[in-house]
Amino acid sequence: MVQHKVAIPPYQPATIEPKWQARWEADRLYEAPDFGEPKWYYLTMFPYTSGDLHMGHWYAMAPTDVQARWRRMKGYNVMLPIGFDAFGLPAENAAIKRGVHPAEWTFKNIENMRRQLRTMGASFDWSREVITCQPEYYRWNQWFFLRMLERDLAYRALAQVNWCPSCQTVLANEQVTAAGLCERCDTPVYRRDLEQWFLRITAYAEELLNHEGIDWPEPVKTMQRNWIGRSEGVEVSFALAGRPEELRVFTTRPDTIFGVTFMVLAPEHPLVEVLTAPERRAEVEAYVAQARRLSEIERQSAEREKTGVPIGAFAINRLNGERVPIWIADYVLATYGTGAVMGVPAHDERDFAFAKKYGLPIPVVIAPPGWNGEPLTEAWTGPGTMVNSGQFTGLSSEEGWQRIADFITAQGWGGRKVTYRMRDWLISRQRYWGTPIPVVYCEREGIVPVPDDQLPVTLPERAEFRPTGQSPLTYTPEFLHTTCPRCGGPAKRETDTMDTFVDSSWYWYRYCSPRLASAPFDRQAVAFWTPVDQYTGGAEHATMHLLYARFFTKVLRDLGLVDHSEPFLRLFNQGQILSGGRRMSKSRGNVVTPDTYVRKNGADSMRVFLMAIGPWDQGGDWNDRGTIGQFRWLNRVWTLVLSTANAPAREDPVGERELRGLTHRTIKKVDEDLEHFRFNTMVAALHEYTNALIDRQEQLAGTAAWREAIETLVLLIAPSAPHLAEELWERLGKPYSVHRQPFPRWDPELAKEETVEIAVQVNGKVRDTIVVPANAEEAVVREQALASERVARHLGGKQPERVFYVPNRLINFVVR
């Protein structure tokens, strides 16, 4: 028995944590050099400058820091940078509400968020901090824009856009919710025509469909593929009765073209104005106005009843010469395909419902198997045999698809084509707090790019906010009026600013050289660090930030600035931290701020709790009691280590052998869990290990195996509870810093799972014995026992009626 008593000082995170945070920062412990292999670039999505961090931010960032710390201990040169996403509508709206300048509100928030991030104890490299609203950052947004303009990847066009009347700005399609609301303020969005700036992301649509070479969650890849929406088909022209124009449509089913009984135009299609008959004009104009009040998502909803009105004009199906009426319907979008579709009601569910509602013909041209010529009760969308299709009758629909496509091409009526659901990225925003778009408008020269040597085009210090739907920059003469860089005459600046997603589409490159003034980034540093080895963040960014980031990377590659095509090699999506069963957010009023809990139980307790609540990719519910439970565990670790660190030397060969096995199995478990983001089971394993050591301290404290065990415990908790581990490591007399020590390595022989011998009975009589892992599940034991030839012989081919299992002792099969 160990009889010595040691006076243990209390565990006081409020003293320990600031002490080590100051030491790490003073020693620049986490600043990563731009050399030294193997390198590992960790990145977590940088926070928006909303003012306060809440537990949702900690839930995203703390586990990333844990894995980064672990990888440093594994010998990697790790960069984990941090910055602030600082432009955008929330900052501007908050500033207007408070009567302050957006910059004042933003930088005050950044100061507070820096403080909160430091209390987390994360190993961020603060020397690489990036703030996107600073001119030294956003000048490169402008520089990239100009390079895209030179390559026709940026352009200005009149387009129907999503307009939020509350935010008084345009929204990209991705920023409109499924209910047709602004994602920022939940206001209904409507459509209006505006001259806007776009980035031609569709030029990279085919490449963006390909996710080869990156380890990303399948749901994210699927969301991106669905958003891009690749379709192979045929573009074909229809003649217009009595008019010289023609009507072009895109179809993925050219095999059904003989079944067209109506044509449908989007309400915004330019031919609507031209083709509408005088007697139909009033109804058509009313319908067009109604459609403009709906978002694209609302118009395409599968639940919404399809409506439309005829415009009093006819198209001619060139393949059979038939006249078909032309309608407009809001389920057709001007932004997809040609803005017109051919109605084939027998073979399209949407067209079938539309034809039924308005009494339009439904001729069958693809016969389903066993079809007897009767009218269809629902659309047949599968393959079949072509009927009522002129010279193509009798062909399979698959062969007919190819033959009709060839025929249309040969006749000069169209040809094969690939289209995409994704639209070009609309980046114009009618707001002040964003990157100014670097072009001027000159009456003589037209649209003129701002020369590189005049960048950055900076925001004026003052702005007048009016609810007119125009950018506040419109009312700032000192910004608006300038001279043309080409002719020297008077010109006006573009007053729209860029979508803030431009800011976050390349920020990880800037982290590599954030103070560089001569270029967006140092090419040599970027070549060393990028692509990012591990990115973490929410899956909700799949079709915005993550898609835009991939697009930007491919553009930078084509500009010769980077040598890779994908920004992030690996992606892990954490779940969401909930409060009261709902996602934590300021708008819901359910945020839990970390400051109070840090003061009470320490950052380490919160870090551990957030990892312990469940699988990181699934999220979990905030629970005050959970932090107290983790504080108690860390307090037990504190007491255990300090009370036994200097126990008198002794030996216990049997106990030491068993303890070393436990230690090395724990190392293996923690090491593997950390690698695969299994933080909850890692924490559980550390709890079990701590309890096992407490049970053995009287027997084994002072032995060599015990010293190995408690030093291992400190090293294993170092990534998760960095302050506590640093303090204990120092008190054990070990060299600074614990975070520069190698992570413990497990011995395969020592880490082997303990095994037990199980007796296998049939009707109560032992027929064999098997060796299985200790505490094995019944299903594992049962499968191994039934594989025994001796057991099978006594079962006589019968299935057990009942099975009795006593863990680690016996299993009994009962048969008749």
Side-chain angles (χ1 to χ4, degrees), residues 7 72 100 120 160 330 351 381 442 521 566 572 633-634 639 642 660 685 741:
R72 282 194 196 93
V100 299
M120 186 190 297
Q160 272 221 334
D330 58 16
D351 293 346
T381 59
C442 173
F521 45 76
E566 293 289 348
F572 191 94
W633 168 58
L634 294 179
T639 303
L642 295 185
R660 293 202 73 209
Q741 306 307 310

Side-chain angles (χ1 to χ4, degrees), residues 298-333:
E298 285 179 293
R299 285 168 58 172
Q300 291 190 299
S301 171
E303 288 77 34
R304 189 169 174 273
E305 184 181 8
K306 304 300 179 285
T307 64
V309 295
I311 67 172
F314 292 84
I316 308 296
N317 186 341
R318 286 175 161 143
L319 275 80
N320 59 14
E322 291 189 5
R323 283 164 52 99
V324 293
I326 301 174
W327 291 60
I328 60 169
D330 58 16
Y331 68 80
V332 179
L333 303 178

Side-chain angles (χ1 to χ4, degrees), residues 670-685:
V670 171
D671 197 40
E672 292 175 348
D673 281 352
L674 281 170
E675 181 172 10
H676 296 101
F677 299 93
R678 297 191 295 257
F679 300 111
N680 60 319
T681 56
M682 178 269 295
V683 171

